[in-house]
Amino acid sequence: MTSSAPEHAPRGFRHASVLLDGAVDALIHDPAGHYLDGTFGRGGHSRAILERLAPEGRLLAIDRDPQAIAEAANIDDERFAIDQGEFARLGEFAEARGLHGRLSGVLLDVGVSSPQLDDPERGFSFLRDGPLDMRMDPTRGESAADWLAHAAEGEIARVFKTYGEERFARRLAKAIVARRVETPFTRTGDLAEVIKTAHPAWEKGKHPATRAFQALRIQVNGELDQLDAALEAALEALAPGGHLVVISFHSLEDRRVKRFIRDHVRGDTHLPKGIPLRDDQIQRRLESVGKARRPGPEEVEANPRARSAVMRVARKRY
């Protein structure tokens, strides 16, 4: 998947899984084990995992996008199954299949996939005009257009600032609220043009609507809350010795992943300082596996959207 990288890919719904070989290498330590791909997307990682599994191995995938579920129907492999829903529910899905606490590995490739970005009808793109939707599951929840129609100016500014790290969040929010009085926003091109006009300082090589669109997408899909919940669920669903592999695409996501792994490597960081504990009393549930990894120059050249990706790996201790 991809997330906040600039939309430099050509037209067409192509998808190249980021850090494909590295992620699968880090994930699979027992070819006969049971694995979970929490973000099926268009199946690049899932297909690579299946190629590495033994006949007795199993893979459960999850995705909330109906188009991803339809793509998964093309995989004819008795070792593979998929459930539709948010990856925050991975513990629930694993439990239903008798896999909770038994998974050998969990892969989370966080963000929006290239086909979602490249399809104007999904409403993720500020470069290709389409309905202002942005929902990863278009059949559920509130679209970006619906949210913008009623959100207060201060709330819009907060979302742009918090989720998009947009310096001019207040100015953009004010312009959006002023314009919607006359005509509600229904198209991505219209919103992008209003933001473009209102933005006072364009970044070189970046569309002025980039950060605002990222923030809207995160808000509409509850992405950061979903990530936090998925990390906790993955820790519980893994068997001792199981691997957690997470690929993120912008700093908001990566900071959460880094902090989650760090806290469980250190153990009991929620306790007040000064409480005397022996080392064997500290509950360290994870151990970090290697350093954070980024795509190499060849992968970035082939897939520019990969350049902001960061992969972190951890192993469950107990």
Side-chain angles (χ1 to χ4, degrees):
M1 289 192 176
T2 64
S3 187
S4 59
E7 301 181 39
H8 292 169
R11 289 184 180 274
F13 308 155
R14 301 185 308 149
H15 180 60
S17 296
V18 176
L19 290 164
L20 180 62
D21 293 334
V24 176
D25 288 344
L27 182 72
I28 297 179
H29 56 98
D30 175 12
H34 293 78
Y35 294 87
L36 187 146
D37 180 356
T39 45
F40 179 80
R42 293 304 179 265
H45 285 118
S46 281
R47 289 183 173 89
I49 292 167
L50 288 169
E51 290 177 358
R52 298 276 295 274
L53 291 185
E56 59 270 37
R58 294 292 183 272
L59 173 63
L60 171 62
I62 299 169
D63 208 294
R64 54 174 155 174
D65 187 340
Q67 293 181 0
I69 301 300
E71 175 63 30
N74 295 320
I75 296 181
D76 183 15
D77 192 319
E78 62 181 9
R79 301 170 301 168
F80 175 78
I82 189 166
D83 287 322
Q84 183 173 3
E86 300 89 351
F87 66 179
R89 298 170 57 199
L90 69 86
E92 171 189 335
F93 293 129
E95 180 74 37
R97 295 180 180 272
L99 297 174
H100 199 265
R102 298 177 53 204
L103 291 172
S104 300
V106 172
L107 170 65
L108 302 176
D109 179 11
V110 185
V112 61
S113 68
S114 292
Q116 289 170 328
L117 278 173
D118 292 337
D119 183 355
E121 294 304 306
R122 299 303 301 271
F124 290 103
S125 175
F126 46 77
L127 295 179
R128 303 178 181 95
D129 184 51
L132 185 58
D133 194 310
M134 295 194 185
R135 290 172 294 175
M136 291 185 181
D137 180 354
T139 68
R140 302 181 65 181
E142 188 176 46
S143 71
D146 291 339
W147 186 79
L148 278 180
H150 68 75
E153 181 178 322
E155 178 66 3
I156 297 172
R158 183 194 67 81
V159 166
F160 286 179
K161 179 68 174 178
T162 305
Y163 298 155
E165 300 178 299
E166 172 57 68
R167 286 191 300 153
F168 302 99
R170 290 186 179 277
R171 184 191 293 255
L172 301 186
K174 183 177 181 179
I176 287 169
V177 170
R179 211 320 287 277
R180 79 183 183 190
V181 173
E182 302 174 4
T183 309
F185 289 96
T186 61
R187 307 288 295 182
T188 57
D190 187 19
L191 177 61
E193 188 61 32
V194 169
I195 293 173
K196 181 179 177 181
T197 301
H199 205 293
W202 296 11
E203 298 176 60
K204 185 177 180 180
K206 180 177 289 189
H207 192 287
T210 299
R211 296 179 182 275
F213 266 62
Q214 171 187 300
L216 266 178
R217 193 200 77 226
I218 290 173
Q219 168 67 25
V220 166
N221 294 290
E223 292 179 34
L224 297 182
D225 289 341
Q226 288 281 327
L227 175 58
D228 289 341
L231 291 170
E232 294 289 351
L235 179 58
E236 299 304 323
L238 284 167
H243 289 192
L244 173 64
V245 180
V246 187
I247 302 171
S248 55
F249 287 82
H250 58 68
S251 60
L252 293 175
E253 297 165 342
D254 184 53
R255 283 199 295 266
R256 277 171 153 77
V257 177
K258 182 180 180 180
R259 183 174 63 244
F260 177 83
I261 294 175
R262 180 200 63 202
D263 287 351
H264 285 286
V265 167
R266 291 178 178 175
D268 285 331
T269 55
H270 63 286
L271 294 174
K273 291 183 179 180
I275 293 182
L277 289 174
R278 297 192 311 270
D279 190 66
D280 62 354
Q281 291 177 308
I282 300 175
Q283 297 182 4
R284 297 186 174 99
R285 302 197 65 191
L286 288 175
E287 57 183 333
S288 184
V289 178
K291 296 181 179 179
R293 178 174 172 181
R294 298 179 180 272
E298 291 184 2
E299 182 172 3
V300 172
E301 183 178 358
N303 179 15
R305 287 175 175 160
R307 68 173 173 269
S308 60
V310 180
M311 182 175 76
R312 298 186 185 272
V313 183
R315 181 183 298 111
K316 183 174 178 178
R317 293 166 62 95
Y318 65 90

